[in-house]
Amino acid sequence: MNERITAVLEGLAIGDAIGKQTETLSRTAVGEWYPEGIAGFEGPPGTVFPRYAGHSRHEWRIGETTDDTEAA
C-alpha cells in the first residue's frame, strides 16, 4: 500500500512539473513556445524556462513543481 501511495504522489509531482512549463500561457502561446507539443521535460532539469530567461522576475525552472504538489 505504501508503494502505491508513493507512486501516486510521484506521478502527481511529475505531472505538475511538466504542466508548469505551460502555466499562464494561452493555447496560442503554448503552440508558439512548443510547436511540437509537450512530450515531457522540455530541457535539462534545473534550467530556467526559455521564456523567462534573462527578462523576467520569475525564474521558474524545468522540473520544479507548483504549490499544487505541496498542497497534495
Side-chain angles (χ1 to χ4, degrees):
M1 181 64 91
N2 287 340
E3 289 177 4
R4 289 181 177 186
I5 293 169
T6 299
V8 166
L9 293 173
E10 287 175 349
L12 173 96
I14 291 167
D16 185 35
I18 291 171
K20 185 175 182 175
Q21 297 172 129
T22 60
E23 192 163 317
T24 74
L25 293 178
S26 67
R27 178 177 276 233
T28 301
V30 169
E32 291 169 0
W33 280 101
Y34 305 100
E36 302 298 318
I38 298 287
F41 293 113
E42 299 296 322
T47 59
V48 176
F49 292 164
R51 69 179 189 271
Y52 292 122
H55 57 76
S56 177
R57 62 185 178 95
H58 299 288
E59 285 203 350
W60 287 2
R61 298 182 181 275
I62 295 170
E64 289 181 330
T65 59
T66 70
D67 60 340
D68 296 343
T69 296
E70 294 173 23

